[in-house]
Coordinates of all heavy atoms in Angstrom, one line a residue:
Chain B
Q29 N -70.6 -92.7 102.9 CA -71.0 -92.0 104.1 C -70.1 -92.5 105.2 O -70.0 -93.7 105.5 CB -72.5 -92.4 104.4 CG -73.4 -91.7 103.4 CD -74.9 -92.0 103.7 OE1 -75.2 -93.0 104.3 NE2 -75.7 -91.0 103.4
A30 N -69.5 -91.6 105.9 CA -68.5 -91.9 106.9 C -69.2 -91.8 108.3 O -69.4 -90.7 108.8 CB -67.3 -90.9 106.8
T31 N -69.5 -92.9 108.8 CA -70.1 -92.9 110.1 C -69.1 -92.5 111.2 O -69.5 -92.0 112.3 CB -70.7 -94.3 110.5 OG1 -69.7 -95.3 110.2 CG2 -71.9 -94.6 109.6
T32 N -67.9 -92.8 111.0 CA -66.9 -92.5 111.9 C -65.7 -91.8 111.2 O -65.3 -92.3 110.2 CB -66.3 -93.7 112.6 OG1 -67.4 -94.5 113.2 CG2 -65.4 -93.4 113.8
M33 N -65.2 -90.7 111.8 CA -64.0 -90.1 111.3 C -63.0 -90.0 112.4 O -63.4 -89.8 113.6 CB -64.3 -88.7 110.7 CG -65.1 -88.8 109.4 SD -65.2 -87.2 108.6 CE -65.9 -87.6 107.0
F34 N -61.8 -90.1 112.1 CA -60.7 -90.0 113.0 C -59.7 -88.9 112.7 O -59.5 -88.6 111.5 CB -59.9 -91.3 113.0 CG -60.8 -92.6 113.3 CD1 -61.3 -93.2 112.2 CD2 -61.0 -93.0 114.5 CE1 -62.1 -94.3 112.4 CE2 -61.8 -94.1 114.8 CZ -62.4 -94.8 113.7
W35 N -59.2 -88.3 113.7 CA -58.2 -87.2 113.5 C -56.9 -87.7 114.2 O -56.9 -88.1 115.3 CB -58.7 -85.9 114.1 CG -59.8 -85.3 113.3 CD1 -61.1 -85.4 113.6 CD2 -59.6 -84.5 112.2 NE1 -61.8 -84.7 112.6 CE2 -60.9 -84.1 111.8 CE3 -58.5 -84.0 111.5 CZ2 -61.2 -83.3 110.6 CZ3 -58.8 -83.2 110.4 CH2 -60.1 -82.8 110.0
Y36 N -55.8 -87.6 113.4 CA -54.5 -87.9 113.8 C -53.6 -86.8 113.7 O -53.8 -85.8 112.9 CB -53.9 -89.1 112.9 CG -54.7 -90.4 112.9 CD1 -55.8 -90.6 112.1 CD2 -54.3 -91.4 113.7 CE1 -56.5 -91.8 112.1 CE2 -54.9 -92.6 113.8 CZ -56.0 -92.8 113.0 OH -56.7 -94.0 113.0
R37 N -52.5 -86.9 114.5 CA -51.4 -85.9 114.4 C -50.1 -86.7 114.2 O -50.0 -87.8 114.7 CB -51.3 -85.1 115.7 CG -50.3 -84.0 115.8 CD -50.5 -83.2 117.1 NE -49.5 -82.1 117.1 CZ -49.5 -81.2 118.1 NH1 -50.3 -81.3 119.1 NH2 -48.5 -80.3 118.0
Q38 N -49.3 -86.1 113.3 CA -48.1 -86.8 113.0 C -46.9 -85.8 113.1 O -46.9 -84.8 112.4 CB -48.2 -87.4 111.6 CG -47.0 -88.3 111.2 CD -47.1 -88.9 109.8 OE1 -47.7 -88.3 108.9 NE2 -46.6 -90.1 109.7
F39 N -45.9 -86.2 113.8 CA -44.6 -85.4 113.9 C -43.7 -86.0 112.9 O -43.8 -87.2 112.5 CB -44.1 -85.5 115.3 CG -44.9 -84.7 116.3 CD1 -45.8 -85.4 117.2 CD2 -44.9 -83.3 116.3 CE1 -46.6 -84.7 118.1 CE2 -45.7 -82.6 117.2 CZ -46.5 -83.3 118.1
P40 N -42.7 -85.2 112.5 CA -41.7 -85.7 111.4 C -41.1 -87.0 111.7 O -40.7 -87.3 112.9 CB -40.7 -84.6 111.4 CG -41.4 -83.4 111.9 CD -42.4 -83.8 112.9
K41 N -41.2 -87.9 110.8 CA -40.6 -89.2 110.8 C -41.2 -90.1 111.9 O -40.5 -91.0 112.4 CB -39.1 -89.1 111.0 CG -38.4 -88.4 109.8 CD -36.9 -88.4 109.9 CE -36.3 -87.8 108.7 NZ -34.8 -87.8 108.7
Q42 N -42.4 -89.8 112.3 CA -43.0 -90.6 113.4 C -44.3 -91.2 112.8 O -44.8 -90.8 111.8 CB -43.2 -89.8 114.6 CG -41.9 -89.4 115.3 CD -42.2 -88.9 116.7 OE1 -43.2 -89.1 117.3 NE2 -41.2 -88.2 117.2
S43 N -44.9 -92.0 113.6 CA -46.1 -92.6 113.2 C -47.3 -91.7 113.5 O -47.1 -90.6 114.1 CB -46.3 -94.0 113.9 OG -47.4 -94.7 113.4
L44 N -48.5 -92.2 113.2 CA -49.7 -91.3 113.4 C -50.2 -91.6 114.8 O -50.2 -92.7 115.3 CB -50.8 -91.7 112.4 CG -50.6 -91.3 111.0 CD1 -49.6 -92.2 110.2 CD2 -52.0 -91.4 110.2
M45 N -50.5 -90.5 115.5 CA -51.0 -90.5 116.8 C -52.5 -90.1 116.8 O -52.9 -89.0 116.4 CB -50.3 -89.5 117.7 CG -48.9 -89.9 118.0 SD -48.0 -88.6 118.9 CE -49.2 -88.1 120.1
L46 N -53.4 -91.0 117.2 CA -54.8 -90.7 117.2 C -55.1 -89.7 118.2 O -54.7 -89.8 119.4 CB -55.6 -92.0 117.5 CG -57.1 -91.9 117.6 CD1 -57.6 -91.5 116.2 CD2 -57.7 -93.2 118.1
M47 N -55.8 -88.6 117.8 CA -56.2 -87.5 118.7 C -57.6 -87.8 119.2 O -57.9 -87.6 120.4 CB -56.2 -86.2 117.9 CG -54.8 -85.8 117.5 SD -54.9 -84.3 116.5 CE -55.4 -83.1 117.7
A48 N -58.5 -88.1 118.2 CA -59.9 -88.2 118.6 C -60.7 -89.0 117.6 O -60.3 -89.1 116.4 CB -60.6 -86.8 118.8
T49 N -61.8 -89.5 118.0 CA -62.7 -90.3 117.2 C -64.1 -89.5 117.2 O -64.6 -89.2 118.3 CB -63.0 -91.7 117.8 OG1 -61.7 -92.4 117.8 CG2 -63.9 -92.5 116.9
S50 N -64.6 -89.3 116.0 CA -65.9 -88.6 115.9 C -66.9 -89.4 115.2 O -66.6 -89.9 114.1 CB -65.6 -87.2 115.3 OG -66.0 -87.1 114.0
N51 N -68.1 -89.5 115.8 CA -69.2 -90.1 115.2 C -70.2 -89.1 114.8 O -70.5 -88.2 115.6 CB -69.8 -91.2 116.1 CG -68.9 -92.3 116.4 OD1 -68.4 -93.0 115.5 ND2 -68.5 -92.4 117.7
E52 N -70.8 -89.3 113.7 CA -71.8 -88.3 113.2 C -72.9 -88.1 114.2 O -73.5 -89.0 114.7 CB -72.4 -88.8 111.8 CG -73.3 -87.9 111.2 CD -74.8 -88.1 111.5 OE1 -75.1 -89.3 111.8 OE2 -75.6 -87.2 111.4
G53 N -73.1 -86.8 114.5 CA -74.2 -86.4 115.4 C -74.0 -86.6 116.8 O -74.8 -86.3 117.7
S54 N -72.8 -86.9 117.2 CA -72.5 -87.1 118.6 C -71.1 -86.4 119.0 O -70.4 -86.1 118.1 CB -72.5 -88.5 119.1 OG -71.5 -89.3 118.4
K55 N -70.9 -86.3 120.2 CA -69.6 -85.7 120.7 C -68.4 -86.6 120.4 O -68.5 -87.8 120.4 CB -69.6 -85.4 122.2 CG -70.6 -84.3 122.5 CD -70.5 -84.0 124.0 CE -71.5 -82.8 124.4 NZ -71.4 -82.5 125.9
A56 N -67.3 -85.9 120.1 CA -66.1 -86.7 119.8 C -65.5 -87.3 121.1 O -65.7 -86.8 122.2 CB -65.1 -85.8 119.1
T57 N -64.8 -88.4 120.9 CA -64.1 -89.1 122.0 C -62.6 -88.8 121.8 O -62.1 -89.1 120.8 CB -64.4 -90.6 121.9 OG1 -65.8 -90.9 122.0 CG2 -63.6 -91.3 123.1
Y58 N -62.1 -88.1 122.8 CA -60.7 -87.7 122.7 C -59.8 -88.7 123.4 O -60.1 -89.3 124.4 CB -60.5 -86.3 123.4 CG -61.2 -85.2 122.6 CD1 -62.5 -85.0 122.7 CD2 -60.4 -84.4 121.7 CE1 -63.1 -83.9 121.9 CE2 -61.0 -83.4 121.0 CZ -62.4 -83.2 121.1 OH -63.0 -82.2 120.4
E59 N -58.6 -88.9 122.8 CA -57.6 -89.7 123.4 C -57.0 -89.0 124.7 O -57.0 -87.8 124.8 CB -56.5 -90.0 122.4 CG -57.0 -90.9 121.3 CD -57.5 -92.2 121.7 OE1 -56.7 -93.0 122.3 OE2 -58.7 -92.5 121.5
Q60 N -56.4 -89.8 125.5 CA -55.8 -89.2 126.7 C -54.7 -88.2 126.4 O -53.9 -88.5 125.5 CB -55.2 -90.4 127.6 CG -54.9 -89.9 129.0 CD -54.5 -91.1 129.8 OE1 -54.3 -92.3 129.3 NE2 -54.3 -90.9 131.1
G61 N -54.8 -87.1 127.0 CA -53.8 -86.1 126.8 C -54.1 -85.1 125.7 O -53.4 -84.1 125.6
V62 N -55.2 -85.3 125.0 CA -55.6 -84.3 124.0 C -56.7 -83.4 124.6 O -57.7 -83.9 125.1 CB -56.2 -85.1 122.8 CG1 -56.7 -84.1 121.7 CG2 -55.2 -86.0 122.2
E63 N -56.4 -82.1 124.5 CA -57.3 -81.1 125.1 C -58.6 -80.9 124.2 O -58.4 -80.4 123.1 CB -56.6 -79.8 125.3 CG -55.4 -79.9 126.2 CD -54.7 -78.5 126.3 OE1 -55.4 -77.5 126.6 OE2 -53.5 -78.5 126.0
K64 N -59.7 -81.3 124.7 CA -60.9 -81.2 123.8 C -61.3 -79.7 123.6 O -62.0 -79.4 122.6 CB -62.1 -81.9 124.4 CG -62.5 -81.4 125.8 CD -63.7 -82.3 126.3 CE -64.2 -81.8 127.7 NZ -65.3 -82.6 128.2
D65 N -61.0 -78.8 124.5 CA -61.3 -77.4 124.3 C -60.4 -76.7 123.4 O -60.7 -75.6 122.9 CB -61.3 -76.7 125.7 CG -62.4 -77.2 126.6 OD1 -63.4 -77.6 126.1 OD2 -62.1 -77.2 127.8
K66 N -59.2 -77.3 123.1 CA -58.3 -76.8 122.2 C -58.5 -77.3 120.8 O -58.3 -76.6 119.8 CB -56.9 -77.1 122.6 CG -55.8 -76.5 121.7 CD -54.4 -76.5 122.3 CE -53.5 -75.7 121.4 NZ -53.8 -74.3 121.3
F67 N -58.8 -78.6 120.7 CA -59.0 -79.2 119.4 C -60.5 -79.6 119.3 O -61.0 -80.6 119.7 CB -58.2 -80.5 119.3 CG -56.7 -80.2 119.4 CD1 -56.0 -80.4 120.5 CD2 -56.0 -79.7 118.2 CE1 -54.6 -80.2 120.6 CE2 -54.6 -79.5 118.3 CZ -54.0 -79.7 119.5
L68 N -61.3 -78.6 118.8 CA -62.7 -78.8 118.7 C -63.1 -79.6 117.4 O -62.6 -79.3 116.3 CB -63.4 -77.4 118.6 CG -63.2 -76.5 119.8 CD1 -63.9 -75.1 119.5 CD2 -63.6 -77.1 121.1
I69 N -63.8 -80.6 117.6 CA -64.2 -81.5 116.5 C -65.7 -81.5 116.4 O -66.5 -81.6 117.3 CB -63.7 -82.9 116.7 CG1 -62.2 -82.9 116.7 CG2 -64.3 -83.9 115.7 CD1 -61.6 -84.3 117.0

Side-chain angles (χ1 to χ4, degrees):
Chain B
Q29 292 186 327
T31 50
T32 307
M33 287 188 172
F34 305 91
W35 287 95
Y36 296 84
R37 184 172 180 176
Q38 186 179 32
F39 292 102
K41 298 185 178 180
Q42 294 191 18
S43 190
L44 286 75
M45 292 172 43
L46 180 65
M47 297 174 65
T49 302
S50 103
N51 295 300
E52 184 264 337
S54 61
K55 291 184 179 180
T57 302
Y58 290 81
E59 294 298 299
Q60 192 172 8
V62 178
E63 299 176 56
K64 62 180 182 181
D65 294 329
K66 181 167 187 61
F67 299 100
L68 301 178
I69 293 173

